[in-house]
Amino acid sequence: MLSDSSDDDVARRSGLTGNTKVTREDWMKLALETLICEGVEAVRVLALGQKLNVSRSSFYWYFKSRQDLLDQLLDFWRNNNTRFIVEQAGRPAATITQAVLNIFECWLDESLFNPRLDFAVRAWSRQSATVHRIVHEEDDARVDAIRAMFARHGFADTEAFVRARVLYFTQIGYYSLEIVEPVSNRLFLTPSYLLTHTGEEPRAGEVEAFAEKVRRRAGD
C-alpha cells in the first residue's frame, strides 16, 4: 500500500485540483483514492473537504455521515471487483480453457478488477471486524462463482472447488507479493497457466484471441 502521498498528490491523482462545484462523484473519487493511497484512517470529512477546497456542509448534501461514506466505498468495491469476477465466471464458454481466459481478463484489466483497491479494503479489514467479515464473504462469492464455472465444464464438486480456490488465491497472492512483470511475459506464459489450472491445453486460436483483446484494451 502507498502511504507517503501528500494531500496535493492525492487530489491531483483524483483529478481534483480546484473547486467550482463539487459533486458526489468528486467526493467518492477522492475518498477512493485516499483509501488506496493513505488507508481508511485518512478518509475523514474535514481532510477530504480541505483537499476539495469546500466546507464540510458540502459533504452532507450527499452523505449522511462518515460511516455512510465508508459504507458506500465498500459497496463500490463489492460492485466492481467482485461483480466483474462473478460476471466473467458466468460467461458462456465452449471450453474450460476459454472460461478461465474470461477470468484472466480481470487480472489484466483494472476496469474489471482493481488490485490496489482490493488490498486497501483488505488492510481496512484488519482494523474492523465488520469489514473483515465482508471481505471473507466476497472472497467466498468469488471462489463460488469460479467453482460453478468449473462444475459447468464437468469437474466433480470437490475438484471444481479446489481448482477455483487455487486459481483465485494464486492471483491474490500474486498481487500481495507485488510481482511486476510485462504483460507480454504474462501472455507468453498463458498457455502454461491454462494447462496448470485446467489440466487441458487451450484450443487453437484461444490464447491469440485473448492476447489481441488485451492489446486492444491496453491501446484504449
Side-chain angles (χ1 to χ4, degrees):
M1 293 300 300
L2 301 176
S3 60
D4 58 351
S5 295
S6 68
D7 287 356
D8 289 343
D9 185 52
V10 173
R12 177 185 58 76
R13 288 167 60 86
S14 302
L16 302 169
T17 55
N19 173 56
T20 52
K21 179 175 173 56
V22 174
T23 66
R24 177 188 176 278
E25 289 69 28
D26 292 331
W27 282 100
M28 282 291 293
K29 187 175 183 181
L30 181 58
L32 283 164
E33 193 61 35
T34 301
L35 174 65
I36 289 169
C37 292
E38 300 183 34
V40 69
E41 285 302 316
V43 183
R44 298 284 177 181
V45 178
L46 180 58
L48 295 177
Q50 289 172 341
K51 293 173 188 177
L52 290 168
N53 193 27
V54 295
S55 67
R56 284 186 294 178
S57 61
S58 169
F59 174 86
Y60 293 105
W61 279 103
Y62 307 111
F63 305 96
K64 297 176 182 178
S65 62
R66 176 177 183 263
Q67 186 59 52
D68 182 30
L69 172 62
L70 295 179
D71 290 344
Q72 292 193 42
L73 292 177
L74 277 177
D75 286 342
F76 180 90
W77 164 74
R78 181 168 25 214
N79 291 331
N80 287 270
N81 280 19
T82 297
R83 177 169 66 88
F84 286 120
I85 291 175
V86 171
E87 288 182 359
Q88 291 294 107
R91 283 176 55 188
T95 66
I96 185 56
T97 49
Q98 180 58 61
V100 171
L101 284 172
N102 291 340
I103 299 293
F104 281 2
E105 289 183 35
C106 295
W107 314 148
L108 291 170
D109 184 347
E110 286 199 7
S111 70
L112 299 178
F113 183 89
N114 185 328
R116 294 194 311 142
L117 176 58
D118 218 64
F119 275 89
V121 173
R122 291 179 190 279
W124 179 5
S125 75
R126 291 193 285 272
Q127 304 175 41
S128 166
T130 297
V131 177
H132 188 267
R133 173 182 55 78
I134 291 170
V135 167
H136 274 288
E137 289 173 353
E138 296 306 297
D139 280 336
D140 287 346
R142 297 170 187 183
V143 169
D144 190 61
I146 300 171
R147 177 207 58 76
M149 178 192 76
F150 277 107
R152 288 195 303 274
H153 286 271
F155 290 83
D157 289 346
T158 300
E159 185 177 0
F161 174 68
V162 170
R163 286 185 181 274
R165 295 188 75 184
V166 170
L167 191 159
Y168 175 65
F169 288 117
T170 294
Q171 188 61 32
I172 296 301
Y174 184 99
Y175 289 133
S176 69
L177 292 173
E178 299 182 334
I179 296 172
V180 177
E181 62 180 341
V183 171
S184 59
N185 191 53
R186 298 198 71 183
L187 291 175
F188 173 75
L189 294 173
T190 294
S192 295
Y193 280 124
L194 290 172
L195 179 60
T196 299
H197 285 304
T198 70
E200 298 184 13
E201 299 276 0
R203 287 186 183 177
E206 285 183 339
V207 174
E208 292 77 9
F210 171 73
E212 180 58 28
K213 185 181 295 186
V214 170
R215 293 188 188 102
R216 285 201 306 270
R217 283 179 173 164
D220 288 344

